[in-house]
């Protein structure tokens, strides 16, 4: 791959052949060269509205990959080239760390090196031939199970073997993969008990991690999201009401603008409070900033203490700000841990307003703080006052149980319904011990618990930033890994990166390889089995495009059982045209009606489809066609019964009395020209749709064009797009 090898070897001659140089020194030299460059070069694409732009290539070919790799290689500095050679030498001489780093570089593209699956596999194997290494085993398993989308031959038996090695060395991700595989029967036989075993052992380790973090638990800043949600889902906002996976707000000021407060008095602390929350909680694009949060909270506290007559709403804001100040001291964030001070601030906060969360934290200090502050009775009293917060309910229940009071479990149960993590874990533990929970319920609770720890068990944050920094092919590795681990959101995202349906008005089908399409289908299938109706619809659309209408029907059926309007509409269409099933106008109508009943926004499009269907059914009926027509029962209940009555009358006239010559001729004409009528009717409906939607199309098109132009703007630092001429790009936008 690297054409400069010879040249470098001669310049390295002294190093390689000299007797004093060993593999450790070679490795260290490489590291010192690499330490001078950042692991990743980060450039965001930002548009004029201060929004980050994420572009996703739609097409993929081997030539594209080769061109991309060549471009990346051409941009490597001489130091990086040298470092790579040194690592190779060191690895040849048996250095494990060098082999491991080369494996990573070739799998993830660290230090902006080009990736190469064959090489990654070789180096990880070299590591584990010398000593067992959990991560190297896991990555080897990952390479075999995905084949890196066409680079390597997929081998699930080997994948399972390596995942097992990794699990036995304590790798949490491998435990998740195995749990997920046994749960769903993916290249193993379905076995709930084994699945539970793997999930339980991962959950136990994460529980330990939870307990070892500061009081109140770790911050779990999730990046478990569906990429398609950045453009409001694959089918646009609101279709089928699939809940967005984007849970972390970019900016809390929108609360203020939308007028969350409607009292008569003007609060003075509201914007300060939201500013503080932005700093303390961060967002997808912005890390938490404890120092700023500390400054903001201190400022509010000082002002609040000086104020005499505060209005109610400001008291609440002040209480919350001082609560966060206490938390910063309790957890040692932006400042040295100081339990005494934390407790003092919490008490002060409750004097402004009695927040449930604050009593919960106070209880934790009395129970788990330094010995000098221990007071179990006070802890109990605090928890009792904290039962408006999920974790407060849990702690009160736990505290009661510790005192031998069995009603505690009821509290824990309530807390678990509010999705308190500790409550979910504990309840499952208690129920399993008493055999009070089925295997599948237990697994779904454990899976829920574990997946809240995505920052610990995945590289999803890294993947997200790789998207932002315009390296979607790197990001894919992280999303696919999490997809293997069973994250529904990652399955959806990986599928989105692997294959996208062409847009409504794009005539070009997406170009890709067989392996990538198959992988996308596999991930969409898994995602749709976890109730993602959007994935089920996309899957159906892909099968339609492949003209596999039976599988398409099955996919839509799955989504339809989850009340997907889109799926019902598509099922109606399949029935109407007899794709996958026998042509059946009655079934088609039922599905169109259901599509409408699940989503009133689809009114126009469904009505047009119904109109067209009725026309076809009518032609079918009067020509004595064999297709199951729209039945009378359905007609009577429908609003368009006028039309139905007319059909009825026509039929009656036709069937009664002696058939006269004229009618026979008419019938024959109808039969002969049936096809023409079908097309005629299509054209009318098409015209109608075009007319009605013209403005929508225009707006949509203009918008897309604008986005594409922004997305493809030549950028001085980023000429990545040069080799991608003629490629389709999907553009998603995130507000900063
Ligand atoms: C695997 O090997 C690398 C390189 O020696 C080391 O840094 C890493 O900690 C090892 N991982 C595990 C889980 O042992
Ligand atoms: C390479 O990047 C991946 C993804 O961020 C990371 O998990 C891994 O630790 C990096 N490898 C090294 C050797 O730094
Ligand atoms: C990866 O490396 C192998 C040699 O190990 C080479 O044959 C192959 O062409 C490389 N693949 C890419 C995509 O560069």
């Amino acid at each position: 791959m690297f054409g400069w090898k010879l040249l470098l070897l001669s310049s390295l001659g002294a190093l390689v052949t000299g007797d004093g140089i060993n593999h450790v020194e070679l490795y260290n030299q490489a590291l010192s060269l690499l330490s001078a460059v950042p692991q990743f070069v980060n450039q965001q694409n930002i548009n004029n509205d201060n929004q980050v732009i994420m572009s996703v290539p739609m097409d993929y070919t081997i030539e594209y990959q080769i061109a991309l790799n060549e471009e990346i290689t051409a941009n490597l500095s001489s130091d990086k080239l040298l470092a790579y050679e040194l690592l190779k030498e060191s690895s040849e001489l048996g250095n494990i760390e060098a082999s491991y780093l080369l494996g990573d570089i070739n799998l993830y593209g660290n230090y902006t090196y080009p990736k190469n699956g064959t090489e990654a596999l070789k180096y990880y194997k070299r590591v584990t031939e010398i000593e067992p290494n959990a991560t190297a085993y896991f990555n080897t398993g990952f390479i075999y199970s995905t084949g890196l989308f066409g680079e390597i031959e997929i081998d699930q038996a080997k994948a399972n073997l390596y995942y097992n090695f990794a699990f036995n060395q304590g790798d949490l991700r491998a435990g998740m993969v195995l749990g997920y595989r046994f749960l769903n029967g993916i290249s193993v036989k379905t076995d709930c008990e084994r699945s539970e075993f793997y999930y339980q052992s991962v959950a136990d380790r994460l529980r330990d991690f939870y307990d070892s973090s500061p009081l109140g638990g770790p911050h779990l800043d999730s990046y478990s999201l569906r990429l398609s949600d950045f453009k409001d889902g694959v089918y646009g906002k609101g279709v089928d009401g699939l809940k967005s996976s984007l849970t972390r707000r970019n900016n809390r000021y929108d609360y203020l603008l939308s007028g969350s407060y409607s009292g008569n008095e003007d609060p003075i602390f509201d914007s300060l409070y939201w500013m503080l929350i932005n700093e303390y909680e961060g967002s997808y694009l912005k890390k938490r900033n404890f120092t700023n949060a500390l400054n903001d909270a201190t400022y509010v506290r000082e002002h609040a203490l000086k104020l005499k007559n505060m209005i109610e709403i400001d008291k609440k804001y002040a209480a919350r700000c001082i609560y966060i100040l206490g938390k910063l001291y309790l957890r040692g964030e932006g400042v040295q841990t100081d339990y005494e001070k934390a407790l003092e601030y919490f008490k002060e906060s409750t004097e402004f307003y009695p927040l449930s969360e604050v009593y919960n934290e106070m209880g934790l200090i009395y129970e788990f703080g330094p010995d000098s502050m221990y007071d179990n009775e006070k802890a109990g009293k605090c928890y009792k006052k904290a039962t408006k917060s999920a974790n407060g309910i849990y702690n009160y229940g736990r505290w009661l149980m510790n005192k031998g009071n069995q009603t505690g479990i009821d509290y824990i149960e309530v807390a678990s319904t509010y999705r308190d993590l500790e409550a979910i874990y504990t309840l499952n533990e208690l129920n399993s011990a008493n055999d009070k929970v089925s295997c599948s319920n237990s697994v779904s609770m454990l899976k829920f618990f574990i997946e809240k720890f995505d920052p610990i068990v995945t590289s999803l944050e890294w993947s997200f930033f790789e998207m932002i920094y315009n390296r979607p092919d790197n990001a894919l590795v992280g999303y696919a890994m999490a997809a293997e681990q069973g994250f529904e959101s990652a399955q959806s995202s990986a599928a989105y990166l692997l294959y996208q349906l062409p847009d409504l008005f794009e005539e070009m089908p997406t170009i890709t390889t067989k392996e990538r399409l198959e992988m996308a289908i596999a991930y969409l299938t898994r995602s749709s089995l976890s109730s993602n109706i959007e994935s089920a619809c996309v899957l159906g659309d892909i099968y339609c495009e492949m003209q596999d209408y039976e599988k398409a029907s099955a996919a839509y059926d799955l989504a339809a059982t989850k009340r997907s309007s889109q799926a019902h509409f598509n099922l109606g269409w399949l029935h109407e045209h007899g794709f996958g099933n026998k042509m059946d106008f009655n079934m088609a109508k039922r599905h169109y009606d259901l599509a409408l009943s699940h989503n009133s926004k689809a009114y126009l499009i469904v009505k047009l489809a119904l109109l067209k269907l009725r026309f076809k059914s009518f032609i079918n009926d009067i020509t004595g066609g064999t297709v199951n027509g729209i039945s009378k029962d359905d007609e009577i209940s429908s609003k368009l019964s006028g039309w139905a009555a007319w059909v009825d009358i026509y039929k009656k006239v036709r069937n009664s009395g002696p058939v006269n010559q004229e009618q026979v001729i008419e019938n024959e004409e109808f039969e002969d020209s049936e096809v023409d009528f079908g097309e005629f009717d299509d054209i009318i409906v098409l015209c109608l749709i075009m007319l009605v939607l013209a403005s929508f199309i225009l707006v949509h098109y203009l918008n897309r064009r604008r986005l594409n132009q922004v997305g493809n703007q030549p950028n001085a630092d980023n000429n990545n797009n040069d080799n991608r001429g003629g490629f389709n790009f999907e553009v998603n936008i995130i507000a900063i």
Side-chain angles (χ1 to χ4, degrees), residues 1 69 116 119:
M1 175 171 62
N69 274 1
N116 184 320
E119 297 284 302

Side-chain angles (χ1 to χ4, degrees), residues 39-40 101 104 108 110 462:
Q39 267 239 35
F40 291 104
L101 182 50
D104 267 10
Y108 296 104
N110 307 48
W462 169 76

Side-chain angles (χ1 to χ4, degrees), residues 27 95-101 127 131-136 169-171:
Y27 176 71
N95 187 295
I96 300 173
E97 282 155 315
S99 300
Y100 183 84
L101 182 50
V127 171
E131 64 176 35
N133 182 301
T135 319
Q169 292 293 321
D171 191 84

Side-chain angles (χ1 to χ4, degrees), residues 474-498:
N474 283 2
L476 176 59
V477 175
Y479 285 115
M481 257 183 203
E484 295 288 311
Q485 288 166 259
F487 283 87
E488 185 278 311
S489 61
Q491 290 162 353
S492 155
S493 294
Y496 186 70
L497 290 177
L498 285 168

